[in-house]
Amino acid sequence: MKILVCISNVPDTTTKIKLNGEKTAIDLAGVQWIINPWDELALTRALELKEASAGKITKISVISVGSQGAEPTIRKALAIGADDAIRINTEPKDAYFAAFQVAEAVKTEAYDIILCGIESSDYNGSAFGGMLAEFMDLPSVSSVSSFELTGDVVKVNREIPGGYEVVEPQLPFVAVVQKGIAKEPRIPSMRGIMMARQKPLKVVEAIMADALTGFVAFEPPQPKAACKMVDPANVAELVDLLHKEAKII
Amino acid sequence: MSVLIYTENFDGKFKKSTFETVSYGAEIARQMGTTAIALSMGNVADDDLKTLGNYGASKVLHFNDARFANLDNSAFATAIAQAVEKEGANVVIMSGSNIAKAVAPRVSVKLKAGLVFAVSGLPKKLSPFTVPKKVFHGKAFADVVFNSAIKILSIAQNSFGVKEHLQNAAIEAFDAKVDDSAFKTKVTSVEKSTGKIILTDAEVIVSGGRGMKSPENWKPLEELAGILGAATACSRPVSDEGWRPHSEHVGQTGKIIAPNLYIACGISGAIQHLAGVSSSKVIVAINSDKEAPIFSAADYGIIGDAQKILPELITAFRKFKSEN
Ligand SMILES: Cc1cc2nc3c(=O)[nH]c(=O)nc-3n(C[C@H](O)[C@H](O)[C@H](O)COP(=O)(O)OP(=O)(O)OC[C@H]3O[C@@H](n4cnc5c(N)ncnc54)[C@H](O)[C@@H]3O)c2cc1C
Ligand SMILES: Nc1ncnc2c1ncn2[C@@H]1O[C@H](COP(=O)(O)O)[C@@H](O)[C@H]1O
């Protein structure tokens, strides 16, 4: 069995967002880039499954659509434990464009399980995984919060309001994962970092494809009014403010 | 030309988020000078379907097929895409729920329709079709332009609100052609708590962080939630420690919530926490450290020990509830 983990390269979650002068883009100078947190957890779970599979899972690959600048992030995924990596050499214009690139690049590779995150922490697209599944004509399960593999049978928990459903998909399939899929992301070991340098990272050129959406302008959020402090000796005042001023109770 | 609104039901009933989606779609239809058509799938009573007219739907397509009792992403997307084609819809509206995340991307590819999630308001322009959207979990907003004939919008919860606009909605049976072979996922069991207020539906949420000190200290927090008809939530370390269930974790890596009132007790207000709660209408913070970052995100603050403040708040809210 082979597993593919799709990785998006995103600014560190603590990044302060600044805009460029024309407000047409986020100013990315000095930003630290990371593996999208969901993808890091997906990769962690894939490695756990491989280790527990007694040789049944033979390979874990990662793939990312991105320019040269995404390579440190891809190398980190190799250092965490992926066996090999593919980079599709182009800026991901939108999810439709990026998912199409990945679908074309891996269609002859016969991956049994493809893992994606539920959203990228930068543009909050929530679109890529489902699109990839549709382009590849594979079943998909979204909001996956746990993943078990027994023989050839996959069972995942899918979150629903107030609980979860256990879902059994036919393989191959795409799982779009979220909280719970793995406990803590794995951290690369010294040995992992050394080995990552030797692992194959294949760069493939992008093919012609359409993007259906585009960002044209950005703005910061509305500044918030200063917090009104309530005297701890008179908390009843808070109730009064919520009722009369905020009018929400 | 028309606007098609996909309306989710929960065991046959609609929720506020469904009505918000319809209200939003109806307003766009008005701007475009066209009609708003709702699509409902599964077993929903006609009286319930009719209520969609209260928010501006002039027609309700009802696709009632027993095979659609459980979500299968591919089969659902096939049915929705057929409804879009049948109605010649050029704008499709969905909520921001897990179901939309599961299904909308597949519909997008089927119809070669641009898709934007986390839409935060009405279109800024109809030509070229441009919508505002949250990015970086609300740390910024962007204008996104579509260059596809069909556009799919998933709206961020509570970004538009429920707006009444009475229409007499005609109910029309709709029969999508979906082969049995399209169903490639099987639901084998369901675990669901009943009677609990669901976090993503709650109007009021009382939440605790590491400053609550221990799981036993949640008693007053739960009592306050009970008085306010609120759901309870927590920060990530609290669920990591096992003090509270994972389903309560809010923030960038937990649930994204948008209640009317969020009361944060002993939560520092880390940027990843705020990413999940900053869309709340009003935030109240109770924290012993006056420098805690939560106060710069909050509307009202109390500096003090949560264990001391909570019982006093319980008394004050109880008094308020008995008088109002
Ligand atoms: C990739 C990534 C993703 C993350 N995702 C999330 C997420 O989704 N959600 C999330 O919450 N966190 C998330 N975090 C963690 C986040 O950075 C913070 O560590 C976390 O939110 C802190 O939780 P806390 O406020 O409960 O605890 P602390 O930071 O320990 O804060 C406790 C607060 O309680 C106050 N306090 C102490 N005693 C009292 C008292 N007696 N009465 C009142 N107040 C008191 C303190 O002054 C302090 O402000 C993420 C981190 C990373 C790196
Ligand atoms: N450029 C990309 N290359 C590879 N995978 C990606 C890319 N962008 C998004 N993904 C995958 O899609 C998920 C999130 O989708 P989205 O929010 O639509 O960007 C991520 O967690 C990744 O698994």
Side-chain angles (χ1 to χ4, degrees), chain B residues 210 213 235-236 249-253 266 268 272-273 287 305-306:
Chain B
R210 206 144 51 181
K213 299 283 174 14
S235 68
R236 179 162 116 173
H249 159 195
V250 293
Q252 180 173 314
T253 49
S268 61
Q272 297 94 349
H273 185 82
N287 197 301
D305 179 356

Side-chain angles (χ1 to χ4, degrees), chain A residues 53-65:
Chain A
S53 77
K56 192 170 162 80
I57 296 175
T58 52
K59 189 168 84 158
I60 294 177
S61 307
V62 295
I63 190 164
S64 190
V65 182

Side-chain angles (χ1 to χ4, degrees), chain A residues 12-14 34 37-38 40 179 185, chain B residues 208-213 234-238 240 249-255 262 265-276 286-294 302-309:
Chain A
D12 174 44
T13 54
T14 55
I34 60 166
W38 301 125
E40 209 176 15
K179 180 181 164 64
Chain B
R210 206 144 51 181
M212 292 294 292
K213 299 283 174 14
C234 67
S235 68
R236 179 162 116 173
V238 164
D240 286 350
H249 159 195
V250 293
Q252 180 173 314
T253 49
K255 293 206 170 69
Y262 182 69
C265 311
I267 293 176
S268 61
I271 200 153
Q272 297 94 349
H273 185 82
L274 297 179
I286 303 166
N287 197 301
S288 52
D289 173 9
K290 69 177 195 314
E291 305 290 338
I294 187 81
I302 305 180
I303 299 163
D305 179 356
Q307 293 315 314
K308 214 178 128 275
I309 306 286

Side-chain angles (χ1 to χ4, degrees), chain B residues 45-56:
Chain B
D46 279 1
D47 283 349
D48 288 307
L49 293 173
K50 274 274 178 204
T51 61
L52 300 175
N54 299 346
Y55 308 96

